[in-house]
Amino acid sequence: MEETYIDSLDPEKLLQCPYDKNHQIRACRFPYHLIKCRKNHPDVANKLATCPFNARHQVPRAEISHHISSCDDKSCIEQDVVNQTRNLGQETLAESTWQCPPCDEDWDKDLWEQTSTPFVWGTANYCGNNSPASNVVMEHKSNLASGMRVPKSLPYVLPWKNNGNAQ
């Protein structure tokens, strides 16, 4: 039994493709090949079912219940479930001694105690009041050349986006 288990883990072992019997695939490439070959042979794929314990096992739909009851990988899954339930029982017995460290931060207090005004894009100066709620723009500097102004509204179709259609 142990030799069979070691042999099945050999990445260079050749496995027969369930979709095309002429395909002999190395074990390390087998999962990738199954996906590719399943797409290339949808008629055969509809006749096969995937084992819930090992996706490499493609079994005829009529034989899937027999395969599930006798699958070698079933014992590995069942053993994992048993181990998890044992560990779960042990974890509940141990009480945690972790305590939340004290927090000295107060972000709201820090916000009100700020000495400098926050940065706001496109504004220059603020009133002397440091409260964030009362920041009022005192002066606005425009980066446009003198004699130019910002349009009050944008056109529905931008001239450079009309794809050469004349209106």
Side-chain angles (χ1 to χ4, degrees), residues 30 34 38 50-58:
F30 197 65
L34 282 178
R38 182 181 302 133
T50 304
C51 171
F53 305 112
N54 187 338
R56 294 177 178 207
H57 298 169
Q58 302 292 315

Side-chain angles (χ1 to χ4, degrees), residues 98-139:
W98 184 85
Q99 292 181 353
C100 181
C103 181
D104 297 333
E105 293 181 347
D106 185 358
W107 291 7
D108 294 327
K109 180 181 170 189
D110 292 345
L111 183 65
W112 288 106
E113 291 178 352
Q114 270 184 341
T115 56
S116 65
T117 57
F119 173 78
V120 177
W121 182 263
T123 59
N125 295 326
Y126 293 95
C127 290
N129 188 353
N130 283 338
S131 112
S134 65
N135 285 340
V136 178
V137 176
M138 294 298 291
E139 173 188 331

Side-chain angles (χ1 to χ4, degrees), residues 150-165:
V150 177
K152 292 189 176 36
S153 66
L154 291 175
Y156 288 105
V157 178
L158 298 173
W160 58 88
K161 296 236 177 184
N162 68 1
N163 297 327
N165 297 337

Side-chain angles (χ1 to χ4, degrees), residues 7-9 17-18 23 29-30 33 48 55 64 71 78 81 84 103 106-108 112 117 139 143 145 147 159 166:
D7 191 37
S8 68
L9 294 178
C17 173
H23 293 174
R29 299 293 307 159
F30 197 65
H33 177 82
L48 297 178
I64 190 67
C71 181
E78 288 173 342
V81 169
Q84 285 179 350
C103 181
D106 185 358
W107 291 7
D108 294 327
W112 288 106
T117 57
E139 173 188 331
N143 292 330

Side-chain angles (χ1 to χ4, degrees), residues 12-32:
E12 299 301 317
K13 179 182 176 186
L14 291 177
L15 302 174
Q16 185 178 26
C17 173
Y19 300 104
D20 186 343
K21 303 299 179 190
N22 296 318
H23 293 174
Q24 295 292 318
I25 312 300
R26 290 183 304 150
C28 62
R29 299 293 307 159
F30 197 65
Y32 307 104

